[in-house]
Amino acid sequence: VALTPESRFQLASLSKVVATAFSLEFFSQREIDLETSVTELLREIKSPFVLKAVEEHWVADVRLWHLFSHAALNLHYVPGIPCAEKFPTTISLLQKAHGYGEVIVDRPPGTIFSYSGGGFLLLQHIVEEMSNQSIDSLLRPFLDKMELSELSFDSEENFSRVKNYDDSGRPVE
């Protein structure tokens, strides 16, 4: 399929830059310090998700900034969801649905950088629960303000998708 000006691409990990910028504004507007305990936030929003760790005492040390700085949680790679499926809730992904692994604190928080999709899943869950809105609806005004009207996090948006092909020309699902 030929590319056109209307073609859309997945941002994949580049979306984390947008998520971080949005999160900084979101928490600042609510006067929530980035040193806030993630465990305390989960308790405050009455989340069913309970953060676990390789070393249990690490859980208490996880701060909000650790979630978007790749400084505490695991899940280097998140597998994504096929386009044909209805996008699941964030909490279901945190609870290991759809082939996602367990999100845990896998190192002493704030000590070692290690790419963390799990941190961003948990960040999204917290933001959605605090606001009682989907990330799609929360991000739209932020993206519009940044003049990023063509950027969308709406999994329900209907647009044509470019097909993927491997180096030999075979389609990739």
Side-chain angles (χ1 to χ4, degrees):
V1 175
L3 296 180
T4 70
E6 289 76 34
S7 296
R8 298 285 183 113
F9 296 88
Q10 288 187 340
L11 282 177
S13 289
L14 292 175
S15 67
K16 289 171 179 56
V17 174
V18 176
T20 298
F22 170 79
S23 296
L24 291 172
E25 185 173 291
F26 178 88
F27 292 115
S28 174
Q29 288 172 346
R30 286 156 182 80
E31 297 180 358
I32 297 172
D33 192 282
L34 298 180
E35 288 292 336
T36 300
S37 162
V38 169
T39 302
E40 291 299 318
L41 274 179
L42 289 170
R43 222 176 277 136
E44 282 177 30
I45 63 175
K46 296 177 176 50
S47 173
F49 180 76
V50 176
L51 191 56
K52 297 177 185 164
V54 172
E55 300 279 337
E56 192 55 40
H57 65 277
W58 293 345
V59 170
D61 296 332
V62 179
R63 300 294 175 248
L64 199 51
W65 70 270
H66 294 139
L67 301 184
F68 51 82
S69 66
H70 305 283
L73 303 182
N74 66 331
L75 272 185
H76 175 84
Y77 177 76
V78 289
I81 305 298
C83 293
E85 293 183 24
K86 179 161 178 50
F87 204 82
T89 62
T90 309
I91 189 65
S92 72
L93 299 177
L94 286 168
Q95 293 172 332
K96 303 190 292 185
H98 302 276
Y100 279 58
E102 184 174 30
V103 175
I104 62 167
V105 184
D106 66 345
R107 60 195 171 279
T111 60
I112 300 168
F113 175 91
S114 182
Y115 198 74
S116 171
F120 282 89
L121 279 176
L122 186 52
L123 182 65
Q124 179 175 335
H125 171 64
I126 290 169
V127 166
E128 288 177 330
E129 291 300 310
M130 286 182 76
S131 65
N132 205 24
Q133 292 181 355
S134 72
I135 202 69
D136 310 341
S137 61
L138 286 167
L139 274 170
R140 185 73 269 147
F142 176 79
L143 296 172
D144 290 344
K145 182 174 72 176
M146 302 292 288
E147 298 183 13
L148 296 171
S149 61
E150 295 297 317
L151 185 58
S152 175
F153 284 73
D154 186 350
S155 61
E156 303 295 318
E157 188 174 339
N158 189 17
F159 53 85
S160 63
R161 292 170 171 88
V162 176
K163 302 283 187 229
N164 300 306
Y165 297 90
D166 66 18
D167 290 339
S168 67
R170 289 184 300 243
V172 176
E173 291 299 318

